[in-house]
Amino acid sequence: MKKLLIAVIASSLLCSTVYAAELAPLQSDTEPDRTDWTQLDTKYGALPKVDKTLKVGGVSKTLTNEYWRSLGQGYQNVAKKYGFTVAYQAAANEDDQLGQLSIAETLISQGFNGLLVSPQTDSNLEPALETANSKNIPVVNVNDAVMPNAQYYVGNVQKDNGVRVAKWFIEHHPQGGKVAVIEGQPGVYAAGQRTRGFKETLQANGKFTLAASVPANWSREQAFNAASTILQQHPDLIGFYANNDTMALGVVEAVRAQNKASQVAIFGTDGISDAYASIKRGELTGTVDSFPVLTGEVAMDVMIRLVNGQKLSRVISTPQALITKENVEAFSTKDNSRLRQLLTQ
């Protein structure tokens, strides 16, 4: 299966040489052609009138992770508001790269007017992107893997997730100490950038030692096993940063099992409800919330503009915030208007 996927992607990339030459490989964190989500109306005007016959396809990594279900809820919120059709589908799991590609290609063949895609890796949906480009169907890459040939991307600054956590450690542990990273899936842009932001910020401080940095492939069980081993090897460890909340919650279990909860700080990324609940219980130290429902709403706003012929920045950046016990209650609001106010203060 992996050989087949590689062959399909290689063929697509070969066919898209001319297109790629016109568009520099996307690095979403550093792309200079960007607009903040709060500036869409100011820069491009009010949202165009929405045709109720519009059909938008959403292609997710998986629905087993709350983050991706929440992103889809954001898509549905906008579709319900304006009365058009959205189909949100996902692969069976985060390793089903061919299954995700098949979903994207099927939506294209069914005549959907645009695709909002969250690739499992930076390359597995490239063939679908090429097909959509050939049919002039707009495609928006929405968090968190990044297709190099994507013309549009909506999401937060992935590197800043790790930077925010590192700054917390610098503030709360001025003497430094040993820390570890539980990485996501190897080869995925977001995982690499989150880890890089954390490492580089602590290295610049000069008082911290990176005891370990190992992938757990977004898996709670793998994170539990990796964290258990790291704690045994480094009993003086003071903290973990996990590339997503699912893995962070696995780390919480490992830390608790070794009776080190008072010693070891644990941070995740995404801001899922289980992470918020864990923070309130005093288990998880924090998470970097990237507000998936709001991100989904912004991405659909971008799609509506593209379908109506607007030319937008290549990257539309969405918000993120470090959530700890100090602000978890405020950011637990279910009031979308209130959340937007908090994020623009």
Side-chain angles (χ1 to χ4, degrees), residues 60-201:
S60 180
K61 294 174 71 172
T62 177
L63 296 182
T64 61
N65 186 321
E66 181 190 324
Y67 179 90
W68 301 110
R69 296 196 300 272
S70 298
L71 184 74
Q73 183 60 56
Y75 298 163
Q76 296 286 358
N77 288 350
V78 179
K80 183 178 180 180
K81 179 178 180 179
Y82 294 104
F84 63 89
T85 299
V86 59
Y88 190 55
Q89 300 178 21
N93 55 64
E94 293 199 46
D95 295 323
D96 186 14
Q97 296 179 37
L98 276 175
Q100 192 188 39
L101 175 60
S102 177
I103 289 169
E105 291 179 330
T106 298
L107 290 171
I108 293 171
S109 71
Q110 291 175 341
F112 279 73
N113 305 109
L115 291 184
L116 299 167
V117 303
S118 300
Q120 292 192 349
T121 72
D122 295 352
S123 59
N124 76 295
L125 293 187
E126 287 281 1
L129 175 63
E130 175 63 20
T131 301
N133 287 337
S134 71
K135 296 177 179 293
N136 294 317
I137 297 172
V139 175
V140 179
N141 189 152
V142 188
N143 265 340
D144 52 22
V146 178
M147 296 183 291
N149 292 337
Q151 189 171 0
Y152 297 103
Y153 179 90
V154 174
N156 61 350
V157 178
Q158 300 294 345
K159 188 175 182 180
D160 195 40
N161 290 302
V163 170
R164 288 170 187 252
V165 176
K167 287 182 176 179
W168 183 95
F169 277 101
I170 291 169
E171 178 183 351
H172 291 82
H173 292 274
Q175 76 284 2
K178 285 185 179 181
V179 295
V181 178
I182 304 298
E183 304 169 15
Q185 186 175 353
V188 173
Y189 180 83
Q193 287 295 94
R194 292 170 187 177
T195 298
R196 184 172 295 112
F198 183 73
K199 290 180 178 179
E200 290 181 354
T201 304

Side-chain angles (χ1 to χ4, degrees), residues 214-231:
V214 297
N217 299 295
W218 313 121
S219 164
R220 184 167 181 158
E221 180 180 3
Q222 290 184 41
F224 171 85
N225 292 334
S228 298
T229 299
I230 292 168
L231 287 167

